[in-house]
Amino acid sequence: MAIQINQVGYYPKGKKTAVFTAGTAYELCETGTDQVAWKGTLADRGLDAASGDQVRIADFTDFDREGSYYFKSDAGEVSCHFEIRRELYRDLKKEVLKAFYYQRCGCGLSARYAGEFAHACCHTAPAAELEHPEVKKDVSGGWHDAGDYGRYTTAAATALAHMLYAYLFFPQEWEEPVDIPESGNGVADLLNECRYELEWLFKMQKEDGSVYHKVTSFNHANFVMPEEDKRDLYLFPVSTVATADFAAVMALSARVFEKIDASFAGRALQAAQKAWEWSEHHPDFLFVSNPKGCNTGEYDDTCDTDERAWAAAELLLATGDQAYAQPLAKYLAGVSELTVFGWSEMAGFVGLAVLSDTKQILPEETGKRFLHEFEAKCADYEQLADACGYEVALGEDEYTWGSNMTVAMRAMLFAVTDMRKGEEKYRNRILSQMDYLLGKNAAGYSYVTGYGEHAFSHPHNRPTVAMGDKKVMKGFVSGGANSHPCDEKAEWLILPDTPPMKCYLDIWECYSLNEITIYWNSPLVFLTAYLEHTQE
Ligand code: G3I
Ligand code: 9MR
Ligand code: ZN
């Protein structure tokens, strides 16, 4: 394929571009009638390093008539079909959220809600502490992290944060039900789904306030349905990152649920404070690597200052108690990267806390520092995107495991900066990042299952594989291109000089390219809500 587009489509208003790798002129044709609705010449961008492609751009921003279309080029190429319409991401927004329901652990998925992907109840046996196996605990519930069946605290906190802030900022976007068992209970399904995870997260806290880093089997399950995975479950040692994350996300939940369910909010705040107390009594970084032979996700980290800062900020907002201001300042002083919203670097969430601080409880200088950093980093990413033929804000050396999340996080950064600045250029940058994720990339795939004519459909996902790798649930985001593949199949199939953006295969065995995970979906929960909310 030589014409790469956002396979879902484009909003009528806002930037619209497509990438051609051959030809000099293009026509935009109406699906069905084949009539030419718009035409233009291609702007030659030359050789693009990240993709190795000769890139020519069709800029059809000025064409704003709603409908279904496809492109033709004078080189004889034809593109996938796509739409131009308002409410472009209304469906996608619901589906990327529904994906979390499919990840639920500790319950059965009924045919009523999961259709052909229904399955029986899984992973309900008590888990044993790895270091003291005689200590057993019920930690059932929550979401399977990814294509594996592990449940990891820091990954959970990350996904929850993207989702809970998406509710705090855009509550109106979550009025439509997504068809989960709780739908219709008077609470937004986004919060219903988050609560399913939060109820599990409570169980991950020990009596003393600290929080286990993860609960997994010692080795990953075979490619069986979750209910057939009977391996023993282990609670891995507590870590300071997990405990601070827990404090932060529970305090955030207390704020979000305050007016919805005061008693749940109270429980969350109490748990957050208990985790905070433990953290403050354990100032040294604590994280225990996987013991020999264990291959489940590590979510290794080297610094907990960003997590502690986020916890302080959220506790300050949840309680209004200025006692948290001093630790907030102390931890923030030790953080250099303020613009990332991922599972290892989290200080960006302090910036989201700042944005949600309508009563101006947080120190003014904290707000100023974040706004300044956000703007400055956006300027860097604008340059990166301009340097790339596909207009994605990713450096050539940044196509690593989960590169799609890096793209989505940068789009989030543009979004939150736009919330403060209200400049059209930011919105256009977000649109371009979405374009990349939904097909305007050199691999030619939409990286969301079920969205786009050429969407990836063989995720590294145990239930999908166990069901025969024939049908796939909609709304899951792939990790994406990775120029340092580290699974056997991809190492074998990706040739050494493949350009980074093309280091992708829609093959289920390739877990370092094509797995799915909760915190690659959750940024799209945020972004679709943002874009729907701000559309003209
Ligand atoms: O940041 C470095 C960069 O400096 C370096 O040049 C580059 C070269 O390899 O690597 C970059 O780090 C990579 C990091 O992800 C950030 O992208 C590591 O190599 C890479 O190994 C690491 O991958 C993580 C992977 O686990 C292995 O630890 C992914 O981020 C993370 O999303 C993934 O998470 C897994 C869980 O362990 C288990 N459950 C599924 C989940 C998703 O695949
Ligand atoms: O399937 C596992 C995937 O979900 C994880 O992200 C990945 C990293 O923890 O590990 C995968 O499991 C592989 C294991 O690490 C090594 N042997 C092959 C396993 C899958 O085929
Ligand atoms: Zn399970």
Side-chain angles (χ1 to χ4, degrees), residues 4-7 435-441 444-447:
Q4 310 300 7
I5 54 163
N6 180 327
Q7 295 171 23
D435 291 348
Y436 173 89
L437 294 173
L438 293 166
K440 205 186 85 180
N441 58 61
Y445 279 98
S446 161
Y447 287 123

Side-chain angles (χ1 to χ4, degrees), residues 18 20-25 41-48 53-59 389:
F20 291 59
T21 51
T24 58
T41 50
L42 297 169
D44 196 349
R45 285 278 313 246
L47 182 68
D48 173 56
D53 288 338
Q54 288 288 340
V55 166
R56 299 125 216 261
I57 305 265
D59 188 332

